[in-house]
Amino acid sequence: MAKTDSTGSTWRYRWVHRQNEQRRRVFRSADRAWRRRDDELRRLRTLAEEFQGSASAGAGLPLELAPDEVVFWVLPAAQLVEVRHTTVLPAPDLTVAPAATPPRPRRPDGVRVADAGMAVITNRRLALLGGRGRRDWAYGKMTGLAHDPHAPVTLIQVLDRRRASGLMLPADVAADFRFKLTLAFADAIEQRGAVLDQLDEAIAEHAQLKPFRPQIATPAQARPFAYVPGGRRTVAVAAGIALLVPAALFHTDPSDPTSAEVAVAATPAPEAGSAGVPAAPPAGLPAPPTKVPAPPTKSPAASKPRRDSPSPSRTPARERLCGAPDNPMGYDFCGGERIRQPAVEICDWFDCTPEFWAGRGYLVQCRDGSVSLTGGRRDACEAHDGVRRTVWS
């Protein structure tokens, strides 16, 4: 038997059922997405902490290792790609946040495949053992590194090679390859701790985004528009039609000849000679001219605009920087993307620390008000009372 309220209605309970089902579906979808992201971040944190290589892992490979060189990872299927034109890649960094969407299995324009073989990541270099020979990218000579966000291609620039080259991998292993290459490069420059700190910060920030369970709707919360099929949307459409129809009738042209003919045809003609109707002229005589009243003329005072009428003032939109100083770069404290390569004129608008350009991290504001390029490191703003907040672009 259907539940009813005190008036015998059941629409409130139907509304409650629909509302609770919709809230549960939205929560479950958001919770699944949050858990996937959380599991991936924690997996990367564990991998970064336990990522170790060994010299025995290179046994059987046609690659001669240096005395202190160890193998981190071997990928049996990779392709060597080369850029057809000269380009400048950004400097290598230690960004390890997982991508929101995996890259698509395609080759970008301007890139050609030159060879194929086995990719090897060591603590000193990245090597491709291909059919046409071996290609090495030493970390000590690396000047540029770029991961294509839409394709499983990683391009590298080194000092002893003019054009950029790199590897194209299967799309399902591209993310792991990029992460392990970043860990190997961090080990080479002794910055493994910075990667761990960055992952800990990402896990803490993601924990604050955990969705909350929705409140359960009750029949008392139902509004009258819920009784109408279609709900608030139907009410809004009906209100819009109710406003448009009178406006359309008001703007209808009354001098439409078609409407006038219909009105004349539908109205019975009055008899000649009656009150207010002139008699028809005799046959053979022309009809007397009809006087048409002249349109009223506007007075000069009415045509002139009033000077004392208030004019609408335009207030320019104020840029919200959340407390950051005005700057042409658009840097703020509101949120967005971390800044790892700030503009060269940043110290003209922000109070930079004395050792600003020696930092290897992202841009943060210290507690004493100065900005530093040591975000993500354990010693960030160490001499300036610690980190206060992140500067975003």
Side-chain angles (χ1 to χ4, degrees):
M1 183 174 181
K3 295 182 179 180
T4 60
D5 59 5
S6 59
T7 62
S9 302
T10 61
W11 64 270
R12 294 181 181 272
Y13 290 92
R14 291 197 298 268
W15 178 86
V16 165
H17 178 73
R18 292 194 302 268
Q19 283 291 317
N20 288 331
E21 285 296 325
Q22 182 180 3
R23 293 180 184 184
R24 279 193 289 266
R25 286 195 301 269
V26 173
F27 168 74
R28 290 169 184 169
S29 177
D31 187 66
R32 283 194 298 267
W34 184 90
R35 291 183 182 277
R36 284 196 301 267
R37 180 78 171 184
D38 186 69
D39 293 343
E40 179 64 14
L41 288 173
R42 295 185 183 278
R43 183 185 73 86
L44 295 180
R45 178 62 173 79
T46 303
L47 179 60
E49 189 174 8
E50 300 176 355
F51 189 64
Q52 302 294 334
S54 64
S56 60
L61 297 177
L63 179 65
E64 184 178 354
L65 302 177
D68 58 343
E69 189 174 12
V70 296
V71 175
F72 283 131
W73 195 52
V74 177
L75 181 66
Q79 291 179 313
L80 173 66
V81 294
E82 295 179 346
V83 179
R84 297 175 181 175
H85 54 276
T86 304
T87 184
V88 178
L89 301 180
D93 59 12
L94 302 180
T95 304
V96 294
T101 57
R104 293 176 294 177
R106 67 178 186 86
R107 178 166 56 89
D109 297 334
V111 173
R112 69 181 186 89
V113 177
D115 199 358
M118 179 184 301
V120 181
I121 298 177
T122 73
N123 61 333
R124 299 182 62 178
R125 57 181 167 169
L126 169 65
L128 177 73
L129 310 178
R132 299 182 179 179
R134 191 185 74 196
R135 180 70 63 92
D136 291 343
W137 296 272
Y139 304 141
K141 299 180 180 180
M142 191 180 298
T143 60
L145 177 66
H147 302 296
D148 194 313
H150 306 295
V153 172
T154 297
L155 298 177
I156 306 171
Q157 274 183 337
V158 290
L159 291 173
D160 55 354
R161 202 171 297 121
R162 186 175 64 178
R163 291 190 177 182
S165 58
L167 297 179
M168 184 168 68
L169 305 105
D172 56 342
V173 299
D176 276 354
F177 165 79
R178 295 174 179 182
F179 181 70
K180 293 174 181 178
L181 180 62
T182 302
L183 289 178
F185 178 73
D187 266 1
I189 61 176
E190 300 180 356
Q191 291 293 326
R192 176 78 73 94
V195 176
L196 294 174
D197 291 344
Q198 185 182 160
L199 288 171
D200 289 337
E201 183 178 356
I203 292 174
E205 291 179 356
H206 184 66
Q208 299 177 359
L209 303 177
K210 186 175 182 179
F212 294 96
R213 289 188 175 276
Q215 296 181 352
I216 299 176
T218 61
Q221 297 173 347
R223 295 294 179 264
F225 62 78
Y227 183 74
V228 180
R232 185 179 303 180
R233 182 178 302 177
T234 302
V235 175
V237 172
I241 294 175
L243 292 176
L244 290 177
V245 170
L249 295 177
F250 178 78
H251 289 288
T252 303
D253 189 2
S255 62
D256 187 359
T258 305
S259 303
E261 291 176 2
V262 173
V264 170
T267 304
E271 297 181 0
S274 60
V277 179
L285 295 179
T290 304
K291 293 184 179 181
V292 180
T297 59
K298 291 185 178 180
S299 63
S303 60
K304 293 183 180 180
R306 295 181 59 184
R307 295 186 179 180
D308 57 348
S309 59
S311 60
S313 60
R314 296 184 179 180
T315 304
R318 184 179 180 183
E319 184 180 7
R320 300 182 60 185
L321 301 177
C322 300
D326 292 337
N327 61 94
M329 296 87 68
Y331 297 167
D332 56 37
F333 299 141
C334 303
E337 298 182 358
R338 293 191 179 97
I339 306 170
R340 299 185 179 274
Q341 296 179 355
V344 293
E345 65 271 16
I346 181 175
C347 295
D348 297 338
W349 304 90
F350 288 81
D351 182 15
C352 298
T353 58
E355 66 282 1
F356 178 79
W357 293 109
R360 298 182 67 91
Y362 54 86
L363 194 62
V364 293
Q365 185 190 37
C366 305
R367 294 189 182 275
D368 63 355
S370 59
V371 294
S372 173
L373 200 55
T374 57
R377 300 182 54 171
R378 297 181 181 178
D379 57 346
C381 294
E382 186 176 11
H384 303 274
D385 302 332
V387 177
R388 181 182 179 187
R389 51 188 170 181
T390 303
V391 183
W392 308 91
S393 65

